[in-house]
Amino acid sequence: MTDSHPEFPPPRFGVGDKVVVKNGPPETHCRTPYYLRGVNGQIIELIGRYQNPSLLAFHKPGLPKLWLYRVRFDQYKIWEQYNGANSDSVVADLYEHWLVPVKEHSNVAP
Amino acid sequence: MQRKVNDVGGLPGEHIDSVDHDATFFEKRIDAMLMLLISPKIKAFSIDALRRTIEENTLDDYTKRGYYEKWLYAIRHLLVEQQILSNEEIDQRITTIMQTKG
Amino acid sequence: MSHPKDHSHQHDGEHDHDHDHEHDHAPIESPQEPTGTLRYLEQALRELLNEKGIITAAQIAQQIDLQDSRTPALGSKVVARAWTNAEFKQALLANPLEAINETFGLTITTPLELVVLENKPNLHNMVVCTLCSCYPRMLLGIPPAWYKSTDYRSRVVVEPRAVLREFGTQVPITTEVRVADSTADVRYLVLPLRPAGTEGFTEDQLAALVTRDTMIGTALPQFEQA
């Protein structure tokens, strides 16, 4: 099947954007780890558009393709009692529908 | 959304056994079977489907079943789901094999 | 009937390289081959798939051989080349699969992408797949049992430095430890830092320092100057 879709939206996020990982939506096959839900991070790369694994998991074509981002999270923002360097981080590859933008002066808890 | 059985990041864990273990021939055969089944030429099912099936294990099964054991049961499940094989013929063949081994 | 645990215990140092896979009957007997249901199920599926022309015995044998041919030695060569050849390193970081396939005459594919994570003096990369066991298998071979274990997958994201210590690896507190969780089929390869004192080493000598664990990020290449 062709990759092009005339009405396919452009990426919502760009490198440097601050994002929060959602707590949902519920997915039968989910590739957003539990430990990152609700955590603030930053986009460090726009990886590209790929077939939706939640649909592929049920033998469906997984279209339309979704934007995939590499997101960096400070460890001290993920874990209450992180024991390591302040600069330590986790990086994960997350699909767009799991991310919400964070405004500069957002009240979203870290 | 609840944490699934496979979603283990951040859960408490034990000492990591970092001693190398060669894959057994049995494991290699299962590995090969899966790689071929998901290959573009055969495409019996996707790797995503395999993961989804493994995620449906109970916590008990997920914890106790070996890595390639989980693969084998998932492969069986998906071959049936995709109507490539039937449960009946698989069970029948297992019975035959058992009887032959005597 | 004993089931193998998450990591199978296999203690034979004598790996049998006689790949005679043409017959379907019971393979080489060894204490580590499972007995009972598992064994019968694998055999049943293999036989039925063969009879239906979906997967032949020859294809299984060929795939085993192909996977066997992929070992960490390949990754080590890639790293050693990157250490000694600036042009290759640049190409590797920009377009890893293409650079590797072209340079080493291979046809490796991965589900989505291969990304090379370059270690720097202030950045140490580690790789995990907390959700399953994604790994650059067609470059490094099958992942070690520990990589697939729930112990590694659960602990490395929350206590990476404790995990490093368990592997006998120290990373200074001034260096960022960055754990890449392979959540979406991007495969990661760590490009470790070249150890000091290896100036003038040949590529082969350098490759010998690059163990599999240095490319996952649980170890650092070791070189003790005499």
Side-chain angles (χ1 to χ4, degrees), chain B residues 28-69:
Chain B
K28 289 187 185 189
R29 292 198 306 277
I30 296 177
D31 197 283
M33 185 188 289
L34 176 73
M35 291 302 129
L36 289 165
L37 286 170
I38 64 174
S39 68
K41 266 193 344 191
I42 297 170
K43 251 206 160 325
F45 49 81
S46 62
I47 188 69
D48 312 85
L50 185 95
R51 292 177 186 143
R52 176 258 302 174
T53 307
I54 292 175
E55 286 156 24
E56 286 166 0
N57 272 269
T58 63
L59 183 57
D60 205 49
D61 282 342
Y62 188 83
T63 315
K64 294 196 178 129
R65 287 177 171 173
Y67 183 82
Y68 280 103
E69 186 179 353

